[in-house]
């Protein structure tokens, strides 16, 4: 955490100096989603392109300076998986004075360091409820939304994140319910903002599923290349390594333990044609 803050501070200084000298970097693009949705795989693929460069981390301490990480938060906020809308609202309301300029300077510093001919991207699962705010910071920003089958996301959250929230939720079943609500809320929020802000009409939004990426990687990379105006042929990632992990969730549609979770996720499952 301290290391991340130190790096952010260093980039911020570089960015402030560059901006003060009259240099203006192009807007970044953002990789958004629920987390546990294949975004880390996508970042590896994007980073393999010579014209694309990702920020060093998800920079969640930059987006949520007083509420991340949850264990050391300085404001009263629920975990993001419990109430992502409230978490984001409280986090944004607690931003320090001129924090928006700090974010711009920090990303600019990284961009200048890597070269302005490259396109910079930032991936975070904690900015999906911040799309309007991100557009205030960067009116020309673009968004890539990757999503994944709800049950697979819930099980992955339980496996990878349960330890962070064990003391807060107490029992696994309560945490799983929250993760299901969170998954549904995120997908519905992104859909709402995509339509309300007419992002697709302005060619600022691309979305695809984890399943699509796994089943048709070449076609999906072609769509990404077209969206970002880079050559798909220059992605150096070995797509033969891409193997779906969805099988680990089992036959959820026939298991009683998934009945309530499936009911919670039904709106977004129908929206994304998983049902």
């Amino acid at each position: 955490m301290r290391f991340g803050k130190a790096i952010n501070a260093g980039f911020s200084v570089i960015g402030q100096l560059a901006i003060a000298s009259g240099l203006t970097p192009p807007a970044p693009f953002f990789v958004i989603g629920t987390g546990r949705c294949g975004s880390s795989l996508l970042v590896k693929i994007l980073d393999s392109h010579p014209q694309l460069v990702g920020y060093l981390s998800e920079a969640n301490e930059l987006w949520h300076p007083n509420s991340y990480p949850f264990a050391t938060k300085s404001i009263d906020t629920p975990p993001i998986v419990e109430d992502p809308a409230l978490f984001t609202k409280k986090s944004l309301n607690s931003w320090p004075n001129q924090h928006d300029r700090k974010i711009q300077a920090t990303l600019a510093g990284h961009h200048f360091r890597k070269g302005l001919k490259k396109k910079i991207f930032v991936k975070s699962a904690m900015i999906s409820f911040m799309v309007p705010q991100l557009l205030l910071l960067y009116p020309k920003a673009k968004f890539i939304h990757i999503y994944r089958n709800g049950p697979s996301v819930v099980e992955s959250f339980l496996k990878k994140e349960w330890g962070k929230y064990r003391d807060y939720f107490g029992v696994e079943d309560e945490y799983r319910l929250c993760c299901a609500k969170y998954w549904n809320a995120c997908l519905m929020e992104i859909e709402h903002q995509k339509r309300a802000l007419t992002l697709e009409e302005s060619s600022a939004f691309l979305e695809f599923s984890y399943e699509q990426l796994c089943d048709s990687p070449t076609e999906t990379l072609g769509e990404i290349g077209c969206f970002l105006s880079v050559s798909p042929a220059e992605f150096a990632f070995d797509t033969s390594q891409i193997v779906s992990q969805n099988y680990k969730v089992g036959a959820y549609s026939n298991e009683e333990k998934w009945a309530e979770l499936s009911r919670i996720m039904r709106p977004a499952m129908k929206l994304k044609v998983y049902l």
Side-chain angles (χ1 to χ4, degrees):
M1 179 65 178
R2 290 180 180 176
F3 183 67
K5 285 185 175 181
I7 290 179
N8 291 339
F11 286 146
S12 180
V13 171
I14 296 172
Q16 289 176 44
L17 292 173
I19 292 171
S21 68
L23 296 174
T24 303
F29 68 93
F30 297 93
V31 177
I32 59 176
T34 61
R36 317 311 312 167
C37 59
S39 56
S40 293
L41 169 62
L42 177 59
V43 164
K44 292 179 181 179
I45 295 171
L46 295 174
D47 269 331
S48 75
H49 198 287
Q51 290 181 258
L52 305 178
V53 59
Y55 196 71
L56 297 179
S57 69
E58 294 195 10
N60 290 323
E61 67 281 355
L62 192 62
W63 307 117
H64 305 290
N66 296 313
S67 51
Y68 179 87
F70 182 71
T72 58
K73 62 186 175 122
S74 60
I75 61 172
D76 181 19
T77 182
I80 191 169
V81 293
E82 182 176 68
D83 193 333
L86 181 60
F87 172 90
T88 303
K89 180 180 179 179
K90 286 192 170 187
S91 177
L92 292 178
N93 286 341
S94 74
W95 272 10
N97 186 39
Q98 297 190 332
H99 188 66
D100 53 347
R101 293 187 181 182
K102 178 179 179 180
I103 291 173
Q104 291 169 327
T106 301
L107 297 188
H110 180 60
H111 206 158
F112 288 125
R113 180 173 173 271
K114 291 295 184 178
L116 292 183
K117 291 185 178 181
K118 294 181 181 291
K119 300 176 188 289
I120 186 175
F121 66 90
V122 181
K123 168 251 185 179
S124 173
M126 299 183 76
I127 58 175
S128 294
F129 277 70
M130 289 177 56
V131 172
Q133 182 70 27
L134 293 173
L135 285 172
L136 288 176
L137 289 169
Y138 300 103
K140 294 184 178 181
K142 290 190 173 186
F143 300 87
I144 293 180
H145 175 216
I146 181 170
Y147 58 90
R148 182 185 183 188
N149 179 304
S152 295
V153 171
V154 170
E155 287 301 277
S156 186
F157 264 118
L158 182 64
K159 180 178 180 181
K160 300 292 186 178
E161 304 287 336
W162 167 242
K164 296 179 183 178
Y165 299 107
R166 183 191 306 270
D167 293 339
Y168 183 88
F169 288 100
V171 294
E172 289 187 1
D173 285 348
E174 182 180 351
Y175 180 63
R176 292 173 83 242
L177 284 171
C178 277
C179 289
K181 293 175 183 177
Y182 166 75
W183 179 85
N184 187 76
C186 278
L187 265 67
M188 300 307 289
E189 168 70 9
I190 292 171
E191 181 71 15
H192 168 70
Q193 296 299 346
K194 176 184 74 174
R195 296 184 180 185
L197 299 168
T198 62
L199 295 176
E200 285 184 320
E201 290 83 346
S202 59
S203 301
F205 190 90
L206 174 69
E207 69 177 346
F208 49 84
S209 68
Y210 168 75
E211 293 80 11
Q212 177 185 335
L213 177 60
C214 292
D215 294 341
S216 306
T218 302
E219 178 182 325
T220 305
L221 294 192
E223 293 179 8
I224 294 172
C226 181
F227 178 68
L228 298 176
S229 300
V230 299
S231 171
E234 292 189 79
F235 284 109
F237 190 85
D238 181 4
T239 56
S240 68
Q241 298 179 18
I242 302 176
V243 179
S244 174
Q245 301 296 308
N246 282 356
Y247 68 90
K248 294 181 179 181
V249 77
Y252 64 87
S253 60
N254 298 318
E255 293 184 21
E256 181 62 29
K257 73 174 185 177
W258 282 102
E260 178 62 10
L261 297 171
S262 296
R263 183 193 66 77
I264 290 170
M265 294 186 287
R266 184 173 179 80
M269 291 283 280
K270 287 186 67 177
L271 176 68
K272 297 306 181 187
V273 200
Y274 287 116
L275 292 178

